[in-house]
Amino acid sequence: MILGVGTDLANIDRIAGVLDRHGDRFRNRVFTLAEQAKAEARPRMVAATYAKRWAAKEACSKALGTGLRMGIAWKDMAVTNLSTGQPVMHLTGWAAARLAAMTPAGHEAVVHVSLTDDHPWAHAIVVIEARPLAPPA
C-alpha cells in the first residue's frame, strides 16, 4: 500500500546561486558528507547534483506528510546511489521516527526515489510503500 507521495522541482541555477553566495554554510546545513562528496566529484554537474538532492529532500518531506516542519532536519533525509546508479533515500532522526509512526503494524516501509534533471530543472519524486512482512516460519 502507498503511504505517501511527494514531488519537487528545483531550479539548478537558483541552487548554483545559493552555493556561490553561501558555500559551505549551505552545503553543511543541508547535505550530508556523502552527498557533498558525490556532488563535488562531478565538477561539471555540481549544482545539478545538489539540486536533485534538494528536490529529493523536499519530495521526501512531502511524502512523510509534514513538509519541512515538525522537526525534520535537512540531513535527516539523505540520498546515496547504488553501484548501478539507482538513487536510495536514507532516513534518520525525526524523519525515520515519522516513517516508523506512519508504517502500519505487520509492514515494512520502503522509500522509493527517482531523480532527473534537464537544465535548468531538477526533479525528484518519492513514494513511500508499506509492504507486508513475511509471516514467521
Side-chain angles (χ1 to χ4, degrees), residues 36-61:
Q36 291 179 47
K38 174 74 172 183
E40 300 300 327
R42 306 176 82 198
R44 293 179 52 215
M45 298 183 61
V46 171
T49 302
Y50 279 123
K52 286 187 283 189
R53 278 148 180 76
W54 171 278
K57 290 167 187 270
E58 288 273 7
C60 185
S61 71

Side-chain angles (χ1 to χ4, degrees), residues 26-80:
F26 172 66
R27 284 181 194 88
N28 293 330
R29 184 173 69 91
V30 176
F31 301 100
T32 65
L33 293 176
E35 289 174 311
Q36 291 179 47
K38 174 74 172 183
E40 300 300 327
R42 306 176 82 198
R44 293 179 52 215
M45 298 183 61
V46 171
T49 302
Y50 279 123
K52 286 187 283 189
R53 278 148 180 76
W54 171 278
K57 290 167 187 270
E58 288 273 7
C60 185
S61 71
K62 293 170 186 175
L64 289 168
T66 63
L68 284 161
R69 58 183 174 88
M70 297 176 60
I72 291 182
W74 286 102
K75 292 199 275 187
D76 284 350
M77 302 164 288
V79 177
T80 62

Side-chain angles (χ1 to χ4, degrees), residues 13-124:
D13 294 332
R14 179 175 162 260
I15 296 297
V18 173
L19 288 165
D20 288 344
R21 281 190 309 281
H22 300 287
D24 286 342
R25 186 170 153 237
F26 172 66
R27 284 181 194 88
N28 293 330
R29 184 173 69 91
V30 176
F31 301 100
T32 65
L33 293 176
E35 289 174 311
Q36 291 179 47
K38 174 74 172 183
E40 300 300 327
R42 306 176 82 198
R44 293 179 52 215
M45 298 183 61
V46 171
T49 302
Y50 279 123
K52 286 187 283 189
R53 278 148 180 76
W54 171 278
K57 290 167 187 270
E58 288 273 7
C60 185
S61 71
K62 293 170 186 175
L64 289 168
T66 63
L68 284 161
R69 58 183 174 88
M70 297 176 60
I72 291 182
W74 286 102
K75 292 199 275 187
D76 284 350
M77 302 164 288
V79 177
T80 62
N81 295 84
L82 300 177
S83 60
T84 60
Q86 177 184 349
V88 178
M89 179 68 70
H90 304 275
L91 303 181
T92 58
W94 197 93
R98 170 70 180 149
L99 180 63
M102 65 190 283
T103 304
H107 290 74
E108 66 176 339
V110 180
V111 181
H112 305 277
V113 60
S114 182
L115 308 174
T116 192
D117 67 284
D118 186 8
H119 195 271
W121 301 108
H123 178 261

